[in-house]
Amino acid sequence: MRYLLFFLSFVYFNGYSQFGPQKIISTEPQLPVAVFSVDIDSDGKIDVLSASRSENNIAWYRNLDGYGTFSSLNLIGLFSEAKSIYAEDLDNDGDMDVLATSSLLDKVVWFENLDGLGNFSSLKQIAGNAEGAFSAIAVDMDGDGDNDVVSASDVSGLAWYENLDGNGNFSATKIIDNDISNSRSVVAADLDGDGDLDVVSNGIAPNTVRIFWYENLDGLGNFGSLRVIRDFSVYANMLFVADADGDGDMDVFSASNGDDEIAWQENLDGLGNFGAKNIITSSLPTAFAVYAADLDNDGDMDVLATSIETFGGEVVWFENVDGLGSFGGKQTITTEVQSPRSVITADIDNDGDMDVIGSSQNDNKIAWYENYTILGVEENETNNFKVYPNPTKGLVFIGSKTENIVSAIIFDVLGKKVIQQNGNIQQLDISALRSGIYFLHLVTDNGDFVQKIIKE
């Protein structure tokens, strides 16, 4: 087996990352513009989804062996000029449903995962009046425990749709701001540290190219007025939110194709007051996509980006060299792409590091790149730790006679931090997490240790 079902030896992660050659997932979709990764068929392996502008628009690819061998295209639905794809449990049945947008049809829709195995319903419309609908995400906007939907549109701006009953029946459009245009990227994050999700987006507002955010005033989805993060001289195409400088609050990353720039904006006080831009690079031709993840297993957020050309481009990454938001030079992952418009990370091959998945529109390609992170493996001969039970249904106990634990962090297979506790931890409760594979990262006085754990 790829992992043991009993106590696993800890490994110490040395921070270095490089990527292997391109591995084709599929060339079946026509003009793929977006990818997403999640376990669609509930088998514990990370699958891949795609949205395409033409033919086989919304589709998924099964990770057959957990090592990155994928099935052929599984069609979810036909949806003309699809622009984005996202997966989340919209009907509270424990499996991943699929959310998509179409700028041509002005629609935000979802497809129900009927059996948790990747057999989907026909299209279910959330909104039919989102003019130029470009992207959508599913998050709990009103704090009632189910996933609502937020959309960004070229013409009608930002809106959200309340999941009225937790079963995927949505409200009419709730406008966040319809006085903006060319809003194509939307992210939800707690920017002001008050425990609810705010909304970050881009666009022209009203005559200035900007990135901006809206405060969720009461945690119920009533939003304040536009708050400027940064004005641009050219359009900022895509955004991402993550903690760039390790201070515990959410910063904002941006890609702007007009000036070839990838940058981040610091959340100065954890209250959503932002500083001047920090340029990661200003020489990435037609910079298009941006994404942040820990690519070298050193505990901080590195940056992925794409450069697009009609018949070329590249996928690149930048190392966060000090954990404080100082980034190294460009490191190329691949140039075997034509107009790569989407890039994400996930642990495709179940080896504990973040691989890269991308779509390139003009060569009809979905592909992934294995992360060859170099690991210094030290067997714990003195049994420094005992982590049990593993697998577990809820509680994880951590015992050590020799190590002082400073903090315990659990990451999912997409690299998202889902639990953190500080201090000399003796147990963690992961009962609220979905079944699957997670990574327990223990920070001690003598170094960092990582162990794979399984939630039943």
Side-chain angles (χ1 to χ4, degrees), residues 136-147:
I137 56 173
V139 290
D140 186 3
M141 278 282 92
D142 53 2
D144 64 354
D146 55 38
N147 286 302

Side-chain angles (χ1 to χ4, degrees), residues 385-405:
F385 293 99
K386 186 177 183 181
V387 178
Y388 63 95
N390 190 12
T392 179
K393 295 181 184 294
L395 288 178
V396 176
F397 295 94
I398 307 167
S400 176
K401 295 181 180 180
T402 60
E403 298 289 342
N404 178 49
I405 299 172

Side-chain angles (χ1 to χ4, degrees), residues 245 247 249-252 264-268 273-276 278:
D245 51 0
D247 62 355
D249 55 39
M250 293 293 102
D251 308 302
V252 176
W264 69 280
Q265 287 69 218
E266 182 183 356
N267 191 338
L268 295 172
N273 296 303
F274 286 85
N278 298 281

Side-chain angles (χ1 to χ4, degrees), residues 263-424:
W264 69 280
Q265 287 69 218
E266 182 183 356
N267 191 338
L268 295 172
D269 52 9
L271 301 176
N273 296 303
F274 286 85
K277 70 177 178 180
N278 298 281
I279 296 175
I280 297 172
T281 183
S282 56
S283 58
L284 185 65
T286 321
F288 192 86
V290 65
Y291 192 95
D294 185 3
L295 296 175
D296 52 4
N297 279 333
D298 63 354
D300 54 41
M301 291 292 105
D302 309 301
V303 169
L304 273 170
T306 67
S307 165
I308 63 169
E309 300 172 16
T310 302
F311 299 108
E314 57 183 335
V315 179
V316 303
W317 75 285
F318 303 87
E319 182 186 356
N320 192 337
V321 295
D322 57 4
L324 301 176
S326 300
F327 288 87
K330 181 184 79 172
Q331 300 185 57
T332 299
I333 296 174
T334 187
T335 57
E336 296 181 77
V337 286
Q338 296 181 15
S339 191
R341 301 176 73 87
S342 179
V343 64
I344 57 172
T345 65
D347 186 6
I348 291 295
D349 53 1
N350 242 337
D351 64 353
D353 52 37
M354 291 295 103
D355 307 303
V356 171
I357 310 104
S359 68
S360 45
Q361 175 184 269
N362 292 348
D363 54 0
N364 302 323
K365 189 185 295 178
I366 309 293
W368 73 284
Y369 309 87
E370 184 176 355
N371 191 336
Y372 290 150
T373 297
I374 298 175
L375 303 180
V377 180
E378 297 178 355
E379 295 293 339
N380 192 353
E381 296 176 355
T382 58
N383 293 319
N384 288 352
F385 293 99
K386 186 177 183 181
V387 178
Y388 63 95
N390 190 12
T392 179
K393 295 181 184 294
L395 288 178
V396 176
F397 295 94
I398 307 167
S400 176
K401 295 181 180 180
T402 60
E403 298 289 342
N404 178 49
I405 299 172
V406 177
S407 67
I409 309 167
I410 291 182
F411 295 89
D412 66 16
V413 290
L414 300 179
K416 179 182 178 182
K417 184 192 301 182
V418 293
I419 292 175
Q420 178 169 352
Q421 290 188 23
N422 299 321
N424 197 5

Side-chain angles (χ1 to χ4, degrees), residues 197-253:
L197 293 177
D198 309 301
V199 170
V200 186
S201 190
N202 64 342
I204 301 173
N207 299 310
T208 303
V209 178
R210 290 171 164 163
I211 56 176
F212 38 80
W213 73 283
Y214 303 85
E215 181 185 355
N216 192 338
L217 297 172
D218 53 7
L220 301 176
N222 295 302
F223 288 91
S225 57
L226 178 150
R227 296 178 62 175
V228 175
I229 295 174
R230 178 184 158 200
D231 289 344
F232 284 75
S233 58
V234 297
Y235 188 74
N237 184 72
M238 190 172 290
L239 307 176
F240 197 83
V241 174
D243 184 2
D245 51 0
D247 62 355
D249 55 39
M250 293 293 102
D251 308 302
V252 176
F253 295 85

